[in-house]
Amino acid sequence: MTKIPLDHPRAESLRMREKLIEQCDNGVVTLAGLVAHGRGEAFDYLLGEKTTKPALKAIEAAAAELLTADKPVISVNGNVAALATEDIVKLSEVTGAGIEVNLFYRSLEREKAIMKLLKKAGACEILGVGADASAQIPELGSERRRVDPRGILMADVVFVPLEDGDRTEALVKMGKKVIAVDLNPLSRTAQKAPITIVDNITRAAPKLAETASKLRKEGTRKSKQILANFDNKMNLSEAISLINERLSRLAKEQKCLTLEDEKLDL
Ligand code: PTJ
């Protein structure tokens, strides 16, 4: 792993990249996962690389949905396993959700590498590996259609960080409550999921585990109240407005800087 200087202004972002590269070498992350992360980084830049108010609202709703579910399942792909290993295990412990490997670029080697990583972080059981993914999501062509009959197939709530739009839509059609994490508020996944957390998985996953842990102590009634007051479309609109407002402010600041430069030139 390349050593990132602690005082590097973009140390956190570079550390994330190093983690993905390392897990790419270990067979956890697919090459396309590096490209997908780049797209995420671009949106994170626009969001100011922090968890916004709408993201916090969605995290609260997601925690409530997971805690009130009969059979919640966390769907894990290569990027999520690499970037949020410990937090996924913690979230599963706090909410009682199962963990299932579900890959777009599926191979038994990758499934096993992801299982190994999660088990090393403390996970007891990993669903969806090899022949265990014997069921199929109807009307879905990609490898993501293969699911575990004890996991995603039976689940009433499915947590799907960094998902593709097709499967989100298919899961919603099956009557499942889907929670997405996607830095791009315009992606099909973000638009189709009933709860969308527009945030980096590296920030959203620990915050979600922490929120669920607190909310669990407050009882089911509080969770149901949170869900009744949550509106995903409005929340997404707020997330997009935040980007818009931030860019407008930055554009104004840029204009002032240009005018100051022009004054100096005189
Ligand atoms: O491990 P596999 O085989 O299942 O493949 C995983 C990837 C991510 C390659 C696969 O699911 C894929 O191609 O995803 P997409 O369709 O590129 O979608 C990924 C979405 O996640 C994009 O909208 C990105 O903006 C977003 N994203 C990328 N990195 C992050 C992110 N969202 C939150 N946190 C991130 N760190």
Side-chain angles (χ1 to χ4, degrees), residues 30 32-33 36-37 39-40 43 77-79 83 102-105 110 144 162-164 181-184 187 199-201:
T30 174
H37 184 73
R39 176 156 54 184
F43 279 97
N77 65 21
N79 288 42
L83 291 175
N102 184 277
L103 304 177
F104 189 84
Y105 302 96
R110 285 192 66 217
R144 278 204 192 274
L162 278 73
E163 181 66 35
D164 62 77
V181 180
D182 197 322
L183 278 161
N184 176 4
S187 77
D199 199 8
N200 199 314
I201 186 65

Side-chain angles (χ1 to χ4, degrees), residues 168-193:
T168 305
E169 232 176 327
L171 289 172
V172 171
K173 260 195 198 164
M174 286 171 85
K176 301 191 190 294
K177 293 169 183 163
V178 177
I179 303 162
V181 180
D182 197 322
L183 278 161
N184 176 4
L186 304 170
S187 77
R188 267 191 318 131
T189 301
Q191 294 290 327
K192 296 287 175 193

Side-chain angles (χ1 to χ4, degrees), residues 15-260:
R15 269 197 294 272
M16 251 185 261
R17 287 184 179 181
E18 283 304 314
K19 249 190 206 176
L20 287 168
I21 293 166
E22 188 193 10
Q23 291 306 339
C24 199
D25 290 342
N26 292 343
V28 166
V29 173
T30 174
L31 272 177
L34 304 181
V35 182
H37 184 73
R39 176 156 54 184
E41 274 186 345
F43 279 97
D44 209 8
Y45 220 91
L46 299 181
L47 284 162
E49 294 176 311
K50 59 174 195 237
T51 302
T52 61
K53 266 193 197 159
L56 282 174
K57 253 196 249 170
I59 286 172
E60 202 184 36
E65 195 78 285
L66 287 165
L67 288 172
T68 51
D70 287 326
K71 182 133 189 30
V73 172
I74 302 168
S75 178
V76 176
N77 65 21
N79 288 42
V80 174
L83 291 175
T85 329
E86 281 82 18
D87 295 311
I88 290 297
V89 176
K90 206 162 155 197
L91 182 64
S92 151
E93 283 166 6
V94 173
T95 60
I99 304 178
E100 179 163 342
V101 176
N102 184 277
L103 304 177
F104 189 84
Y105 302 96
R106 201 170 192 115
S107 78
L108 186 58
E109 289 71 33
R110 285 192 66 217
E111 288 164 22
K112 283 184 175 168
I114 291 169
M115 177 166 73
K116 196 173 149 197
L117 188 68
L118 291 166
K119 284 205 165 168
K120 206 174 152 203
C124 299
E125 190 186 18
I126 303 297
L127 302 161
V129 176
D132 286 351
S134 58
Q136 298 213 359
I137 298 176
E139 297 171 40
L140 193 63
S142 80
E143 283 299 306
R144 278 204 192 274
R145 72 183 181 280
R146 299 186 199 285
V147 290
D148 195 316
R150 298 166 302 151
I152 291 172
L153 191 76
M154 292 286 292
D156 55 343
V157 174
V158 193
F159 179 53
V160 290
L162 278 73
E163 181 66 35
D164 62 77
D166 282 356
R167 194 171 72 126
T168 305
E169 232 176 327
L171 289 172
V172 171
K173 260 195 198 164
M174 286 171 85
K176 301 191 190 294
K177 293 169 183 163
V178 177
I179 303 162
V181 180
D182 197 322
L183 278 161
N184 176 4
L186 304 170
S187 77
R188 267 191 318 131
T189 301
Q191 294 290 327
K192 296 287 175 193
I195 298 180
T196 311
I197 303 169
V198 180
D199 199 8
N200 199 314
I201 186 65
T202 56
R203 296 188 299 266
K207 193 76 199 156
L208 181 53
E210 184 199 320
T211 308
S213 175
K214 281 188 193 151
L215 199 56
R216 192 169 63 166
K217 294 179 193 127
E218 296 192 46
T220 311
R221 217 168 128 200
K222 173 79 181 168
S223 287
K224 288 194 173 157
Q225 209 176 15
I226 289 169
L227 288 169
N229 291 327
F230 182 73
D231 182 331
N232 202 47
K233 290 272 176 282
M234 282 303 290
N235 209 48
L236 274 172
S237 164
E238 275 179 46
I240 296 165
S241 294
L242 272 183
I243 295 178
N244 190 16
E245 283 157 23
R246 186 162 181 272
L247 291 183
S248 297
R249 199 181 61 244
L250 290 174
K252 265 190 206 148
E253 284 170 13
Q254 195 68 49
K255 209 170 172 182
C256 291
L257 287 176
T258 313
L259 290 174
E260 269 176 34

